[in-house]
Amino acid sequence: MSKNTNMLNMTEGNVTKLLVKFSIPMLIGNVFQQIYNLVDSVVVGQYVGANALAAIGATGSVVFLFIALCNGIGSGGGVIVSQFFGAGNDKKVRNTLTNVAYLMMGMAILVCIVSSIITPWILRTLRTPVEILDDSIVYMRMMCFGLPLVAVYNYSASMLRALGDSKGPLYFLIVTSIINVFLDLLFVRGFNMGVFGAAFATVIAQLIAGVCCMIYAFCTNEYFHLKIEDYKLDVNIAHDTIRLGIPMSLQFALIAISSMGLQVVVNSFGAIAVAAFTATSRIEQLVHQPYTSLSAALATYSGQNYGAMKKDRLREGFIKSTIIMMIMTAVLVLIMQLGGRQIVSLFVPDEGVIEMGARGLRITSIFYAVLGMIYVTRGVQNGIGDATFALLNGIVEVIARVLLPIFMSKDYLLGVWGIWWSAGTVWLVSCVFCFWRYIYYRKKYNM
């Protein structure tokens, strides 16, 4: 295969430079992807009101669950692609691309149909406050209809990144995020379409991102120039994709389910608490992005070097990424401790919501270092194909995220502030498990 300048071989060269070079486009892209949800929240909160903002927030963990069920397949397939790429097996790379597409789109369509039907039942089960229930159903159903469109973009982006191209997906996220801002203002403020308008704008933007990213992949990456034999269903590749992808899906699904349990606790404190939690959750989705980007870079790096049997570079990657993570953490903590109030005020003018949200950010930012460590270890373990890790980590998080908020939010303990203290404590528990798993795997396989 001729050299493709969009692809990055991470089995050679300076580790820090490779991780940073791969992470920065990922970070920019992830930030712009989060703008979809942020713009929805800001526009709705400012122009419709706190209850409408709470309605969007009440659906967040459920929508994340449905997206996670689809994305796990893409993540598992990305690991296989990166390992075949590192091993130089071009035929297997192309065949994996098609098999992952079959599995990922099939899952997306199935989840789309089921989720749109059970939306009202789920939101009522979560004890969504009655004053925001109708808007929550409208917003969530619209987001469910957009799941296949999300899958198109996430498939093409994850496959490109597995091949070392983190820049391509970035371009389309920037353009479509700008389109999303315009459409949000048009539908919500201009046409008074409320939460439906916000969701509709996001779905249109996702459609544009998915189509453009697929066209880019076919035009710029030779691995996407498929032949007839590449479209054949390969049982072994499909099995390996499912073997890695299902535990990753279950990990994200368990985290989402545990977040739904937390949402029940949040809902019990009323609409103001729901709105404040929504604002802080949206902000912390951005906080996660530097860590997510580093983890994705580390997963691709680890996958390629594992496929090339370069174990020394695996250890070096873990150390260098930990240093990078700690530098990012210091900056993020400073921002949240000093500027949390100003950031929350962007979402809603309600003073009660602003005060509660700002204090919540000051609490959770204390735990950002352990959150970053979760992502570092996750990147390594996912890259080398440790399927059991993803599932076990999800189980640990779901237990902690369900039990700790219930206990810590009791009136005789922390009350409403237990929502944010428990979130940080969950990260701490998960971090301990993740680090133990990394050390165990490193000793067992002499990594």
Side-chain angles (χ1 to χ4, degrees):
M1 171 165 284
S2 62
K3 184 177 180 180
N4 190 322
T5 57
N6 291 319
M7 294 186 289
L8 181 62
N9 186 339
M10 304 180 80
T11 61
E12 299 176 351
N14 183 278
V15 174
T16 302
K17 289 182 179 179
L18 286 170
L19 290 172
V20 171
K21 182 178 180 180
F22 192 93
S23 295
I24 289 178
M26 280 280 295
L27 173 58
I28 297 172
N30 286 339
V31 168
F32 272 95
Q33 190 170 32
Q34 290 305 316
I35 287 176
Y36 287 146
N37 290 331
L38 279 174
V39 169
D40 286 348
S41 300
V42 171
V43 172
V44 169
Q46 291 290 344
Y47 297 114
V48 184
N51 277 358
L53 174 63
I56 291 178
T59 69
S61 58
V62 188
V63 173
F64 174 70
L65 167 63
F66 296 145
I67 293 176
L69 292 173
C70 305
N71 285 355
I73 299 297
S75 298
V79 170
I80 297 173
V81 168
S82 65
Q83 291 181 358
F84 281 141
F85 178 71
N89 193 330
D90 295 346
K91 182 177 180 180
K92 286 294 186 180
V93 169
R94 288 193 294 268
N95 199 204
T96 303
L97 292 177
T98 58
N99 279 265
V100 174
Y102 300 150
L103 294 171
M104 197 166 179
M105 291 309 301
M107 177 67 78
I109 293 171
L110 176 63
V111 173
C112 170
I113 295 172
V114 174
S115 62
S116 61
I117 294 173
I118 65 175
T119 285
W121 174 79
I122 290 179
L123 292 175
R124 290 190 178 95
T125 302
L126 293 177
R127 301 176 186 174
T128 304
V130 64
E131 62 267 34
I132 65 174
L133 179 60
D134 289 343
D135 277 346
S136 295
I137 292 174
V138 169
Y139 185 84
M140 184 169 147
R141 270 195 168 144
M142 193 65 201
M143 296 300 290
C144 291
F145 289 142
L147 286 174
L149 306 181
V150 177
V152 171
Y153 172 78
N154 287 338
Y155 163 76
S156 53
S158 61
M159 296 302 100
L160 286 169
R161 288 165 184 160
L163 295 168
D165 182 2
S166 61
K167 294 181 180 179
L170 162 65
Y171 306 140
F172 308 110
L173 281 178
I174 293 176
V175 174
T176 52
S177 294
I178 294 172
I179 293 173
N180 191 43
V181 172
F182 171 77
L183 292 177
D184 262 318
L185 291 171
L186 178 65
F187 293 159
V188 177
R189 188 180 184 186
F191 296 161
N192 295 316
M193 295 172 66
V195 297
F196 174 81
F200 189 43
T202 300
V203 169
I204 293 175
Q206 290 166 343
L207 171 62
I208 296 172
V211 171
C212 290
C213 198
M214 283 299 299
I215 293 174
Y216 167 85
F218 281 109
C219 291
T220 65
N221 194 300
E222 295 181 25
Y223 282 111
F224 283 84
H225 297 173
L226 304 172
K227 301 175 183 178
I228 294 178
E229 59 265 26
D230 297 324
Y231 289 93
K232 181 179 67 174
L233 179 63
D234 188 306
V235 175
N236 292 327
I237 291 177
H239 173 269
D240 288 342
T241 301
I242 293 172
R243 179 180 62 84
L244 292 174
I246 292 300
M248 290 183 182
S249 290
L250 290 176
Q251 176 194 24
F252 295 135
L254 287 170
I255 293 172
I257 291 170
S258 63
S259 297
M260 290 160 60
L262 174 59
Q263 190 68 52
V264 173
V265 176
V266 174
N267 291 345
S268 69
F269 286 100
I272 291 179
V274 175
F277 182 72
T278 299
T280 58
S281 296
R282 293 291 187 260
I283 293 165
E284 287 185 344
Q285 284 175 359
L286 280 176
V287 170
H288 282 250
Q289 298 321 303
Y291 302 136
T292 301
S293 304
L294 180 61
S295 182
L298 192 54
T300 299
Y301 170 90
S302 299
Q304 289 188 13
N305 282 282
Y306 185 78
M309 299 300 292
K310 295 186 176 182
K311 294 184 178 181
D312 288 343
R313 288 179 65 84
L314 288 175
R315 289 192 290 270
E316 187 179 359
F318 178 84
I319 294 171
K320 296 294 178 61
S321 59
T322 300
I323 295 172
I324 296 171
M325 179 273 292
M326 294 304 295
I327 294 172
M328 294 190 302
T329 297
V331 175
L332 291 170
V333 171
L334 187 63
I335 292 172
M336 294 305 161
Q337 291 293 327
L338 298 181
R341 180 180 178 84
Q342 289 73 22
I343 298 173
V344 176
S345 66
L346 296 174
F347 289 81
V348 64
D350 188 288
E351 186 62 29
V353 175
I354 294 172
E355 182 62 33
M356 183 177 290
R359 184 173 173 183
L361 288 176
R362 288 195 295 271
I363 292 170
T364 53
S365 62
I366 299 171
F367 297 89
Y368 283 175
V370 295
L371 174 64
M373 204 66 229
I374 293 171
Y375 279 101
V376 170
T377 52
R378 185 179 292 170
V380 175
Q381 297 306 113
N382 286 346
I384 63 178
D386 181 7
T388 306
F389 161 78
L391 181 57
L392 292 177
N393 187 35
I395 293 173
V396 169
E397 283 207 30
V398 75
I399 294 173
R401 200 180 295 271
V402 168
L403 297 180
L404 288 175
I406 296 174
F407 174 71
M408 298 177 74
S409 298
K410 296 292 185 181
D411 290 337
Y412 55 82
L413 288 176
L414 297 171
V416 69
W417 307 114
I419 295 169
W420 288 278
W421 278 109
S422 65
T425 307
V426 169
W427 294 339
L428 178 60
V429 172
S430 180
C431 177
V432 171
F433 169 79
C434 289
F435 192 73
W436 166 83
R437 182 68 179 180
Y438 170 76
I439 297 299
Y440 166 79
Y441 224 80
R442 178 175 171 176
K443 291 180 177 179
K444 182 175 180 180
Y445 295 98
N446 191 28
M447 288 170 41

